[in-house]
Structures are given as C-alpha cells and as structure tokens.
C-alpha cells in the first residue's frame, strides 16, 4: 500500500487512498499533511473529524461538473 492518500475536494471518493504516485488526471492537487500525520489517531473530544488524506485535489469525475458544467449536464440527460 502506497503512502499517498488522495481525496477529492468535491466528493467523497476514496479511489486513490494508498497510492504510490499522484494520478495525472487529477487537478489542483496539494499536499496538506504527511502520511504519518494522516494515519495518526485522533482525539475526537478535541477534533471534530479524522483527516485521513495526505493530498487534496479535484478528481476526474468532479472536473467534468466543475470545469465543464454544460457537458456534465448533457451527460446527465
């Protein structure tokens, strides 16, 4: 299992949790914390949610909706 835990800013996909390299078809990817920080246990009395990802970006599915809304609307019909 890889040490990159990539999450989408717009949806809840976990398809890229535990990968070895960043996919080229994701946009606006930023590293937000280290792998060790991402797997650390969280004290839920002090923090409201576990932040499991190391990187955040926009997945290919959300890119269609966010950057190409007309095309996404046509696909939904």
């Amino acid at each position: 299992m890889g040490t990159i835990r990539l999450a989408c800013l717009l949806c809840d996909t976990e398809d890229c949790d535990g990968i070895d390299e960043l996919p080229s078809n994701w946009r606006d990817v930023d590293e937000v914390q280290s792998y060790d920080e991402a797997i650390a246990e969280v004290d839920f009395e002090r923090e409201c949610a576990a932040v499991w990802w190391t990187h955040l970006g926009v997945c290919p599915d959300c890119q269609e909706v966010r950057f190409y809304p007309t095309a996404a609307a046509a696909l939904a019909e």
Side-chain angles (χ1 to χ4, degrees), residues 46-74:
R46 293 184 170 185
E47 298 181 48
C48 61
V51 178
W52 62 267
W53 52 83
T54 60
H55 294 71
L56 288 173
V58 181
C59 74
D61 291 339
C62 289
Q63 288 174 41
E64 288 184 30
V65 174
R66 181 175 179 194
F67 298 109
Y68 308 105
T70 306

Side-chain angles (χ1 to χ4, degrees), residues 2-9 16 19-23 26-39 51-58:
T3 58
I4 295 174
R5 305 187 78 192
L6 177 58
C8 182
L9 288 162
C16 291
I19 58 176
D20 292 315
E21 61 184 57
L22 295 171
W26 280 59
R27 290 183 64 161
D28 304 324
V29 176
D30 290 313
E31 184 173 358
V32 293
Q33 67 179 344
S34 70
Y35 180 75
D36 290 336
E37 290 170 320
I39 62 170
V51 178
W52 62 267
W53 52 83
T54 60
H55 294 71
L56 288 173
V58 181

